Amino acid sequence: MIYNKFFVIDSHCHIYPEKIASKAVAGTDNFYKITVSAHGGTTAELMEIARETGIDRFVVESVATTPKQVKSINEFIAEEVEKSDGKFIGVGTLHPDSEDIAGDIDHLLELGLKGVKLHPDIQAFKIDDYRCLKIYEICEEKGIPILMHTGDNRYDFSNPNRLAPILEIYKNLTVIGAHFGGYSVWFEAAERLKDFKNFYVDCSSSFFALTDEEIMKLIREYGTEKVLFGTDFPMWSPKSELERFMNLPLSDEEKTIILSKNALKIYGE
């Protein structure tokens, strides 16, 4: 709780086992060609951040780069959620090349995970690739939200042209588009995707490249009821990202909606 009135959920955080955390963080920095990671990506760091900042809860996830990683990653996330004393909301991972996507989804639900994280750019698939349709079909049927990395002007995996057809077909599938719906193509994404009722966005990995006026324009384009606060820990400091957000010209009610209400609704908490 910050200022004794705002319950805060950081809706986009990556965590890793301590023995591989530094390698995983370095890999992310290398992928994005920016060395900015503020933290090491461990659970211990995130718990310390909670104490320092007043952030109440964190949505935590990791990404499987091969199908064989899916089970172990989901079990790791579930274990960390169990140990977090209610601080973590766990989101599982899937891979479109898995031979048993339905089984993977059943397993992550059995573990108590609340959603699915997909990263088309790192996992090297196009959002509208036929291999992914089973994921969307089952997640829509079971009411599982998908937190999707969206956008990158270097590639053609996750940009708005790939996502829009999926939102049109799977109208009851809840998708949260990370990075205001389109990393590095923020305004193109807003123009193309803002009117889909089943589409939300988080503000992670965006503040560094945008002015306050541009951030506010994106929030107004999507509407406060469609925006979640997120930081992309460990790439960015949750403390600094939260301070930037709190200085935006939003009403207390709008801040409350973005900081927690939308995430609570999506993840059924």
Side-chain angles (χ1 to χ4, degrees):
M1 186 78 67
I2 61 171
Y3 307 143
N4 294 316
K5 62 179 177 179
F6 294 110
F7 188 89
V8 181
I9 299 175
D10 183 340
S11 297
H12 192 138
C13 297
H14 299 266
I15 56 171
Y16 312 101
E18 289 192 14
K19 64 182 180 180
I20 67 164
S22 60
K23 181 179 179 180
V25 171
T28 301
D29 281 356
N30 182 63
F31 182 82
Y32 287 105
K33 307 302 181 187
I34 48 176
T35 305
V36 296
S37 293
H39 299 279
T42 65
T43 298
E45 284 181 290
L46 210 49
M47 297 299 280
E48 181 60 28
I49 287 167
R51 289 188 286 270
E52 290 178 354
T53 63
I55 295 176
D56 297 277
R57 302 189 75 184
F58 303 86
V59 177
V60 295
E61 73 261 1
S62 191
V63 175
T65 56
T66 67
K68 67 181 182 180
Q69 294 177 339
V70 170
K71 183 175 184 289
S72 61
I73 287 176
N74 288 341
E75 290 176 349
F76 164 72
I77 295 295
E79 289 168 4
E80 297 307 300
V81 170
E82 182 66 25
K83 293 187 294 186
S84 73
D85 194 26
K87 286 287 186 184
F88 292 171
I89 299 168
V91 169
T93 186
L94 295 172
H95 196 287
D97 289 332
S98 170
E99 295 180 358
D100 186 14
I101 287 173
D104 291 339
I105 293 174
D106 285 343
H107 184 233
L108 71 84
L109 290 177
E110 289 167 4
L111 291 169
L113 301 178
K114 301 293 187 177
V116 167
K117 170 64 186 289
L118 297 175
H119 197 310
D121 295 58
I122 286 179
Q123 294 176 297
F125 66 86
K126 296 175 180 177
I127 287 177
D128 55 354
D129 191 301
Y130 75 94
R131 294 175 296 160
C132 305
L133 301 186
K134 191 68 173 179
I135 294 174
Y136 307 143
E137 176 186 330
I138 297 175
C139 286
E140 181 183 46
E141 177 188 345
K142 294 181 178 291
I144 304 168
I146 295 178
L147 172 56
M148 179 93 73
H149 169 91
T150 46
D152 196 317
N153 57 20
R154 300 174 298 168
Y155 308 108
D156 186 28
F157 292 114
S158 64
N159 289 322
N161 58 300
R162 297 291 178 188
L163 179 56
I166 299 305
L167 296 173
E168 290 171 354
I169 295 168
Y170 299 93
K171 297 183 185 299
N172 294 314
L173 173 66
T174 296
V175 177
I176 308 103
H179 325 312
F180 276 121
Y183 176 81
S184 72
V185 292
W186 292 281
F187 297 100
E188 174 190 340
E191 180 63 27
R192 184 77 180 270
L193 304 173
K194 64 184 179 181
D195 294 326
F196 286 102
K197 293 181 179 179
N198 54 334
F199 186 62
Y200 295 78
V201 298
D202 73 35
C203 64
S204 67
S205 283
S206 300
F207 288 178
F208 78 100
L210 301 171
T211 66
D212 286 0
E213 291 73 19
E214 289 171 327
I215 294 168
M216 286 302 301
K217 181 178 180 181
L218 288 169
I219 291 173
R220 296 304 181 212
E221 288 275 359
Y222 286 110
T224 53
E225 72 284 354
K226 304 289 284 295
V227 180
L228 288 72
F229 174 73
T231 68
D232 217 356
F233 169 91
M235 283 193 70
W236 309 98
S237 161
K239 179 179 180 182
S240 298
E241 295 287 285
L242 182 58
E243 288 173 352
R244 178 83 181 275
F245 175 82
M246 293 305 297
N247 285 323
L248 294 173
L250 294 161
S251 70
D252 283 359
E253 178 58 24
E254 289 174 319
K255 289 177 180 176
T256 297
I257 291 169
I258 294 172
L259 288 171
S260 61
K261 283 190 174 181
N262 291 332
L264 292 170
K265 177 178 68 174
I266 289 170
Y267 292 111
E269 292 290 303

